[in-house]
Amino acid sequence: MLQPESKTLAIVFYILAVVLDPVLPLWRIVGYLLFLLFFAVLSRASILKIIKRSFFLIPFLLVILIFNALPGGIGPRVYLLLGKGWLAAFGLAALAVSTDFVRLIKGLQRLGLPNVLIQLLTFMYRYLDLLVAEVRRMEIARNQRFFGRGYLRQFTVLGNMLGNLFLRTFERGERVYVAMQLRGFQGYLPITKVAYSWQDYCLVIGALATLALLGVSIICPY
Amino acid sequence: MPLLTATEVTYTYPDGRHALQGVNLKIYPGEKVGLLGLNGAGKSTLLLCLAGVLWPRGEITVQGVSLSRQTRRQIGPKVGLLFQDPNDQLFMTTVFEDVAFGPQNLGLPLNQVEERVSQALAMVGAADFTQRFTHHLSFGEKKRVALATILAMEPDLLLLDEPTSNLDPKRRRELLDIIAQRPQAMLIATHDLAMAQAVCSRIIILEQGLVVADGSTDLLNDESLLQKHELI
Ligand SMILES: Nc1ncnc2c1ncn2[C@@H]1O[C@H](COP(=O)(O)OP(=O)(O)OP(=O)(O)O)[C@@H](O)[C@H]1O
Ligand SMILES: [Mg+2]
């Protein structure tokens, strides 16, 4: 079982390599893809899912394409941008597919990311859902008694609901904070220690090796 | 020595609502006390004050120590409050983390934390919930996990706000067993007279922010008293 922090580190190194690559020759693309394959196998992520997930980049790539290809046609610069973009997207997709958000945050915490950021991410994730659920409940409650008489009225109702939502969230926030204090909260979320397996080391070393390979091939091309 | 005393506890909400108007009570170690009263009588408010969530006028002491902002951190682990709404109580992402939060903050080593978590979850019949997301549980499940978060702290006094609300009959019965078996003192706000009858040794009736009756569970057999306070 891979730990999220080694996966994060590996992908960071991998993306660093991709971004730093000045020319992106075919053999190195094959190399990068091989590393991703290695990643997918070690983390038991489905390759099909990774490819699907990487499609999130299409809109961004299209924009890049339009702005860069229109003036000069598809030259080496555009090829480089698209290639790097997609390889990086593959990397992020691989991380996203193989690790759920909660474990990812845990990993970042163990990597030593600032405490404030970790708390923000943790509670955002925990309460976003609650907030959405609260809005949905209010909406349902409204729709059961409100039959859309006039636009103007609708806006006053909406205004009321937003105010109400703010109050509810605010007061809940206070109660939850006290609930945390009652259980001894002193400003730090507890860190759970984990053990690293050989797969973790392999993965990070593999990513470093990819980066190193790039470095060597840039310094002495043949 | 009483475990908890409340003297002339008075609380007015910021919007001017007088929720408690001078409550006096004492709770002794090991006692199970039922707190009865109509909706809006002030039961939840009283429990929130006793746990140090709200700051009333009057005095509250726990094991002889007066409750204040300075002493809350020291008293906090001794008093476990089960909120009426479990959404106020569960704030971590997974059930394990949430139940482990308290013991971890007590500074226990990991194996003891894990032991307490699994014990507490087993007690509320949620042993296999550990990796589930707290916000995806049903209301009754949340309530049980919320109880586990408190049991894992092993406090001396449990303040339970409607512990049986939304529980199915099986879970309710199991909960009554837990309450009866735990050695800790408890103050239990409830509308469940049958539960009070079954597990409590003493009854306090609250009406409009005042204690109007305080005595043994035999009070529940006094029909005229219950009728007078509209509890039946
Ligand atoms: N946050 C608040 N702000 C203002 N008033 C409040 C607030 N919470 C409760 N109240 C009011 O204080 C009074 C006591 O409320 P409390 O929640 O303690 O009643 P309760 O006995 O727990 O009722 P229930 O049986 O419905 O849980 C009620 O009249 C209520 O409207
Ligand atoms: Mg209440």
Side-chain angles (χ1 to χ4, degrees), chain A residues 7 16 19 22-24 58 69 75 77 111 117 142 152 158 168 172 181 185 212:
Chain A
K7 284 190 265 191
L16 208 61
V19 171
V23 275
L24 213 61
I58 288 182
R77 204 165 67 89
L111 278 180
L117 205 63
R142 179 197 67 179
L152 208 61
L158 189 68
R168 286 192 198 192
R172 159 148 297 144
Q181 282 191 323
F185 181 67

Coordinates of all heavy atoms in Angstrom, one line a residue, chain A residues 7 16 19 22-24 58 69 75 77 111 117 142 152 158 168 172 181 185 212:
Chain A
K7 N 3.4 9.4 -3.2 CA 2.8 9.6 -4.5 C 2.9 11.1 -4.9 O 3.3 11.4 -6.0 CB 1.4 9.1 -4.5 CG 1.3 7.6 -4.5 CD -0.2 7.2 -4.8 CE -0.8 6.9 -3.4 NZ -2.1 6.2 -3.6
L16 N 8.1 18.3 -12.5 CA 9.3 19.2 -12.6 C 10.1 18.8 -13.8 O 10.5 19.6 -14.6 CB 10.1 19.0 -11.3 CG 10.9 20.2 -10.9 CD1 10.0 21.4 -10.6 CD2 11.8 19.8 -9.6
V19 N 8.3 19.8 -17.0 CA 8.3 21.2 -17.3 C 9.7 21.7 -17.6 O 9.8 22.6 -18.5 CB 7.8 21.9 -16.0 CG1 7.9 23.4 -16.1 CG2 6.3 21.6 -15.8
P22 N 13.6 20.9 -22.2 CA 13.6 22.0 -23.2 C 13.1 21.6 -24.5 O 12.6 22.4 -25.3 CB 15.1 22.3 -23.2 CG 15.8 21.1 -22.8 CD 14.9 20.3 -21.9
V23 N 13.2 20.3 -24.9 CA 12.8 20.0 -26.3 C 11.8 18.9 -26.4 O 11.1 18.8 -27.4 CB 14.0 19.6 -27.2 CG1 14.7 20.8 -27.7 CG2 15.0 18.7 -26.4
L24 N 11.7 18.0 -25.4 CA 10.7 16.9 -25.4 C 10.8 16.0 -26.6 O 9.9 15.9 -27.4 CB 9.3 17.5 -25.4 CG 8.2 16.7 -24.6 CD1 8.6 16.6 -23.1 CD2 6.9 17.4 -24.7
I58 N -8.5 19.5 -21.6 CA -8.8 19.8 -22.9 C -9.2 21.3 -23.1 O -8.6 22.0 -24.0 CB -9.9 18.9 -23.5 CG1 -9.3 17.5 -23.7 CG2 -10.5 19.4 -24.8 CD1 -10.2 16.5 -24.3
A69 N -1.4 29.0 -31.8 CA -1.4 28.4 -33.2 C -1.9 29.4 -34.2 O -1.4 29.5 -35.4 CB -2.2 27.2 -33.3
G75 N 3.9 25.2 -34.7 CA 5.3 25.1 -34.7 C 5.8 24.3 -33.5 O 5.0 23.8 -32.8
R77 N 7.1 25.3 -30.8 CA 6.7 25.9 -29.5 C 5.3 25.4 -29.1 O 5.1 25.0 -27.9 CB 6.6 27.4 -29.6 CG 6.8 28.2 -28.3 CD 7.1 29.6 -28.6 NE 5.9 30.3 -29.2 CZ 5.0 30.9 -28.5 NH1 5.1 30.9 -27.2 NH2 4.0 31.4 -29.1
L111 N 4.1 15.7 5.0 CA 5.2 16.3 4.3 C 5.6 17.7 4.9 O 6.6 18.3 4.4 CB 4.8 16.5 2.8 CG 4.9 15.3 1.9 CD1 4.5 15.7 0.5 CD2 6.3 14.8 1.9
L117 N -2.8 25.7 6.4 CA -3.3 25.3 5.1 C -4.0 23.9 5.3 O -5.1 23.6 4.7 CB -2.1 25.1 4.2 CG -2.4 25.2 2.7 CD1 -2.9 26.6 2.4 CD2 -1.1 25.0 1.9
R142 N -38.2 25.8 0.9 CA -38.8 26.9 0.2 C -39.8 26.5 -0.9 O -40.9 26.9 -0.9 CB -37.7 27.8 -0.4 CG -38.3 29.0 -1.1 CD -37.3 29.6 -2.1 NE -37.0 28.8 -3.2 CZ -36.2 29.0 -4.2 NH1 -35.6 30.2 -4.2 NH2 -35.9 28.2 -5.1
L152 N -39.7 39.5 -8.5 CA -39.2 40.4 -7.4 C -39.2 39.6 -6.1 O -38.3 39.6 -5.3 CB -40.0 41.6 -7.4 CG -39.3 42.9 -6.8 CD1 -38.1 43.2 -7.8 CD2 -40.2 44.1 -6.7
L158 N -34.7 34.9 -1.8 CA -33.3 34.5 -2.0 C -32.4 35.2 -1.0 O -31.6 34.6 -0.3 CB -32.9 34.7 -3.4 CG -31.5 34.1 -3.7 CD1 -31.6 32.6 -3.7 CD2 -31.0 34.6 -5.1
R168 N -26.7 30.6 10.0 CA -26.6 29.2 10.4 C -25.2 28.8 10.4 O -24.7 28.1 11.3 CB -27.4 28.4 9.4 CG -28.9 28.4 9.5 CD -29.5 27.3 8.7 NE -30.9 27.6 8.5 CZ -31.7 26.6 8.0 NH1 -31.2 25.5 7.6 NH2 -33.0 26.9 7.8
R172 N -23.1 27.7 13.7 CA -22.5 26.3 13.7 C -21.0 26.3 13.8 O -20.5 25.6 14.6 CB -22.9 25.6 12.4 CG -22.0 24.4 12.1 CD -22.7 23.3 11.4 NE -23.8 22.7 12.2 CZ -24.9 22.3 11.6 NH1 -25.1 22.3 10.4 NH2 -25.8 21.8 12.4
Q181 N -12.7 22.4 21.1 CA -11.9 22.8 22.3 C -12.2 21.8 23.5 O -11.3 21.4 24.2 CB -12.3 24.2 22.7 CG -11.6 25.2 21.9 CD -11.8 26.6 22.5 OE1 -12.8 26.9 23.0 NE2 -10.7 27.4 22.4
F185 N -8.7 20.5 21.7 CA -8.0 21.1 20.5 C -7.2 22.3 20.9 O -7.6 23.1 21.6 CB -9.1 21.5 19.5 CG -8.6 22.1 18.3 CD1 -7.9 21.3 17.3 CD2 -8.8 23.5 17.9 CE1 -7.4 21.9 16.2 CE2 -8.3 24.0 16.8 CZ -7.6 23.2 15.9
A212 N 16.7 12.9 -12.9 CA 18.2 12.9 -13.0 C 18.6 12.6 -14.5 O 19.5 13.2 -15.1 CB 18.8 11.9 -12.1

